[in-house]
Amino acid sequence: MPNVTYIQPDGKEITIEARDGDSVMETAVRNGVKGIIAECGGACACATCHVFVDETFMDKVGGPGDLEDDMLDGAAENRTDCSRLSCQIKMNAGLDGLRVRIASEQV
Amino acid sequence: MSERVLIIGAGQAGMQLAVSLREDGFTGSVTLIGEEPHGPYQRPPLSKAFLSGESDEESLELRSPAFYVENNIVVISDEQVVEVRWDAAHGTAVTSTGRLIPFDKLALTTGSSPRRLSIEGSELDGVLYLRDMADAKNLKRRWDKAEHVVVVGGGFIGLEVAAVARKAGKTVTVLEAADRLIARAVSETTSEFYRAAHERRGTRVRLGASISRFVGDGTKVTGVELDGGEVIPADIIMVGIGVIARGELATQLGLETVNGAIVVDSHARTSDPRVVAAGDAVLLPHPLTGDGQVRVESVQNAVDQAKLAAKTIMGGADEYRAVPWFWSDQADLKLQIAGLSNGYDATVLRGNPDDEKFSVLYYRAGRLIAIDSVNDVLDYMAVRKALGNGQTIPADQASDTSVALKTLVQD
Ligand SMILES: Cc1cc2nc3c(=O)[nH]c(=O)nc-3n(C[C@H](O)[C@H](O)[C@H](O)COP(=O)(O)OP(=O)(O)OC[C@H]3O[C@@H](n4cnc5c(N)ncnc54)[C@H](O)[C@@H]3O)c2cc1C
Ligand code: FES
């Protein structure tokens, strides 16, 4: 199963083994990773699961879809080119080792 | 002796309350009890991604079992609380297995249950409701074989199920008694948009429908008969005609309830200060204005109220103030609602419903109170922010679609 590493705003890191097909958000929330709030539970409706994807993974992860793109405009912490809503990134073997930094503000 | 908190109802609100108590540093014992056979999970996908097969049961779980252990939260599943009472020194809950659970403070997060239809044939096999995982599995078990799906009730859950069914190629009819869809929650413009949008996708929508009975072959349902005799064939009938708050235990305790809903104040306290309540089961002061009481059936409300209830248990005096928000996914249409539109006296339409991208802003006495957005995230986010700031956007400015709403809202 693919690993994903979450980097807290203060630099602390935690690595979790994700279930294939689960989103980066689901993996974090179920395991109590702080900072990913995910109020809407992954419906791309709240923008409280904002992460910055490690640049080296951006190609594999890809950019946001249209709705997600608009949601990111309203995210609490300003977006960058590496911003994604973590509920919209599904884990798979190809993303093993993924690193994401959690936005310091979500609401 | 350290304080014991018992939370009855292991759903969205109950889970949040338990987690918030620990996050806020509560050191007493926390027990979360629920009658369902599994720990807390998300309900919204039951009529969306779970039904369509895009997500499975495990991915709906709100927290892993290990999380509760690590946070010293005792979760009891598959046991219903059948009785609660206050003894001299503490309270006691009695469960369906006869277990006695003592507590010092109580939280009721019992949610709601679907309103049932009782007409001829409503007991037939294939007449279904959708509230919990068991209902969803029951629906899924029959899903592949069902060709004709009839949805009774044109509210959010019914329309979501209709959209999934239509996408799967089934023949779908929505029967709504009122003269428009989702009439209790949205404006006529939004209702009319959804009628047309579902019909464009091949679902039949019958407004003002009056059902006389469900017909069957003795055990299984085979159709719906309307007044006048017309019969619409059905392999499955999904009834979604609203929910009733579960206030049974509150009534046992002599707490104030209205139509089953547990009355709480702005601190999530019931009429007994030792008992808090949150989520679908409560009637609360208006979350933005404090003016009048409302019921709000949404994840946002369950989560935000539960957070506040946890603070109240720990002696805090914060008042509940939150911008209500909600979403509904039907086919490729994302509806997002912020604020509560109850009592509006004017609306502003931005965009064109025919493009399947627009927003309706609601005003009361000249003040912005709510928005419905369809596939229009930017306007939705702008209004949500304005409501959170206590700001309004004058209607004459909002109706100018050449101006992005975002630019009219302070940071
Ligand atoms: C199909 C569906 C789709 C939805 N879609 C959306 C959506 O898109 N967006 C949105 O915001 N909201 C949506 N909702 C609403 C949202 O799920 C609810 O508002 C939310 O779950 C309310 O949380 P709650 O904790 O108050 O109640 P619940 O989550 O219902 O939890 C209450 C729990 O208490 C248990 N319980 C009750 N009495 C007892 C007892 N005596 N002993 C033990 N256990 C007991 C119940 O079994 C239940 O598990 C949807 C709901 C459904 C059913
Ligand atoms: S969880 Fe709400 S947008 Fe990702």
Side-chain angles (χ1 to χ4, degrees):
Chain A
M1 292 198 286
N3 279 330
V4 49
T5 299
Y6 300 87
I7 304 155
Q8 296 288 353
D10 67 5
K12 272 206 204 92
E13 294 191 9
I14 171 166
T15 300
I16 296 178
E17 211 176 304
R19 235 173 34 118
D20 233 12
D22 275 3
S23 71
V24 171
M25 176 283 283
E26 284 163 339
T27 307
V29 169
R30 274 220 302 276
N31 293 290
V33 175
K34 296 232 168 11
I36 293 189
I37 300 180
E39 285 179 318
C40 77
C44 197
C46 72
T48 62
C49 64
H50 183 191
V51 297
F52 303 97
V53 174
D54 188 286
E55 265 172 46
T56 56
F57 277 89
M58 257 334 258
D59 278 351
K60 279 191 198 156
V61 172
D66 286 350
L67 274 176
E68 183 187 341
D69 200 40
D70 286 348
M71 289 298 296
L72 280 167
D73 275 348
E77 181 172 340
N78 285 341
R79 66 184 295 174
T80 69
D81 290 345
C82 295
S83 285
R84 289 293 311 266
L85 294 177
S86 56
C87 64
Q88 304 300 309
I89 308 173
K90 295 255 190 266
M91 288 303 291
N92 58 53
L95 290 182
D96 184 32
L98 177 66
R99 293 170 63 81
V100 299
R101 186 168 65 76
I102 299 171
S104 54
E105 260 184 89
Q106 299 282 16
V107 283
Chain B
M1 192 190 63
S2 78
E3 208 168 37
R4 296 160 298 183
V5 173
L6 176 65
I7 305 169
I8 305 178
Q12 189 85 50
M15 185 280 309
Q16 185 64 50
L17 221 162
V19 170
S20 292
L21 279 171
R22 288 296 181 231
E23 280 177 0
D24 295 346
F26 182 75
T27 54
S29 73
V30 177
T31 304
L32 175 61
I33 181 166
E35 67 196 0
E36 296 189 61
H38 25 63
Y41 59 93
Q42 301 184 48
R43 276 170 224 284
L46 297 181
S47 51
K48 308 178 183 80
F50 182 76
L51 190 57
S52 66
E54 290 156 69
S55 68
D56 62 6
E57 188 172 345
E58 200 179 323
S59 70
L60 302 194
E61 193 179 68
L62 281 164
R63 294 287 187 283
S64 69
F67 173 87
Y68 298 107
V69 175
E70 278 157 25
N71 286 275
N72 199 11
I73 296 166
V74 177
V75 181
I76 303 172
S77 299
D78 219 359
E79 252 179 87
Q80 189 180 42
V81 173
V82 291
E83 192 194 329
V84 266
R85 57 170 189 257
W86 286 106
D87 304 320
H90 59 81
T92 303
V94 184
T95 77
S96 45
T97 64
R99 189 204 302 243
L100 301 180
I101 308 175
F103 57 84
D104 303 300
K105 289 215 171 124
L106 181 66
L108 294 174
T109 50
T110 43
S112 56
S113 57
R115 192 181 292 281
R116 306 261 155 185
L117 259 187
S118 69
I119 58 171
E120 188 186 331
S122 53
E123 301 306 319
L124 284 165
D125 186 49
V127 177
L128 306 174
Y129 296 82
L130 183 52
R131 177 69 196 177
D132 58 24
M133 181 61 81
D135 294 337
K137 284 185 176 165
N138 196 9
L139 182 58
K140 270 197 98 155
R141 196 160 50 75
R142 299 153 193 265
W143 196 244
D144 289 342
K145 274 192 274 160
E147 276 175 39
H148 298 273
V149 174
V150 172
V151 170
V152 175
F156 293 118
I157 293 177
L159 292 175
E160 288 175 354
V161 170
V164 176
R166 189 59 210 127
K167 201 170 172 204
K170 303 181 191 306
T171 306
V172 187
T173 309
V174 175
L175 301 174
E176 167 58 54
D179 59 1
R180 60 189 181 90
L181 297 174
I182 340 174
R184 280 182 311 138
V186 301
S187 67
E188 276 173 45
T189 309
T190 311
S191 293
E192 173 51 24
F193 165 76
Y194 273 99
R195 187 198 59 75
H198 279 278
E199 292 200 325
R200 273 197 292 278
R201 288 165 174 77
T203 292
R204 282 203 302 163
V205 178
R206 302 278 288 260
L207 301 173
S210 175
I211 298 169
S212 63
R213 61 185 185 117
F214 296 150
V215 289
D217 61 6
T219 49
K220 252 194 87 349
V221 77
T222 56
V224 182
E225 186 180 307
L226 300 178
D227 281 356
E230 182 190 350
V231 175
I232 301 170
D235 302 312
I236 289 178
I237 297 179
M238 227 300 293
V239 183
I241 52 170
V243 295
I244 300 171
R246 294 186 62 176
E248 307 96 88
L249 297 176
T251 305
Q252 275 186 20
L253 290 169
L255 305 179
E256 188 186 351
T257 62
V258 175
N259 295 327
I262 309 165
V263 177
V264 297
D265 65 11
S266 58
H267 307 286
R269 253 189 327 240
T270 66
S271 55
D272 179 336
R274 295 167 295 184
V275 185
V276 294
D280 276 17
V282 312
L283 182 70
L284 67 150
H286 192 293
L288 278 176
T289 62
D291 194 9
Q293 292 168 310
V294 289
R295 283 196 58 215
V296 186
E297 293 142 20
S298 71
V299 168
Q300 170 277 324
N301 183 61
V303 169
D304 286 344
Q305 261 207 315
K307 286 182 180 167
L308 183 90
K311 292 206 160 41
T312 298
I313 287 178
M314 293 179 67
D318 290 0
E319 298 219 325
Y320 187 60
R321 193 171 180 288
V323 180
W325 59 270
F326 183 82
W327 76 96
S328 172
D329 293 329
Q330 299 166 34
D332 49 347
L333 306 169
K334 179 174 281 299
L335 172 67
Q336 291 174 286
I337 298 179
L340 296 176
S341 59
N342 316 29
Y344 70 91
D345 53 27
T347 59
V348 167
L349 172 65
R350 283 174 63 89
N352 181 356
D354 291 340
D355 299 338
E356 300 202 330
K357 181 175 178 182
F358 68 98
S359 294
V360 177
L361 282 72
Y362 296 82
Y363 288 83
R364 183 178 187 174
R367 240 195 122 67
L368 177 64
I369 56 169
I371 185 170
D372 307 336
S373 292
V374 174
N375 293 342
D376 190 4
V377 172
L378 294 178
D379 279 0
Y380 163 76
M381 292 295 266
V383 168
R384 197 174 138 183
K385 191 166 189 185
L387 294 173
N389 294 345
Q391 250 183 285
T392 187
I393 303 173
D396 54 340
Q397 292 181 29
S399 50
D400 180 356
T401 43
S402 68
V403 178
L405 280 189
K406 200 164 93 169
T407 62
L408 302 174
V409 180
Q410 284 152 21
D411 249 330

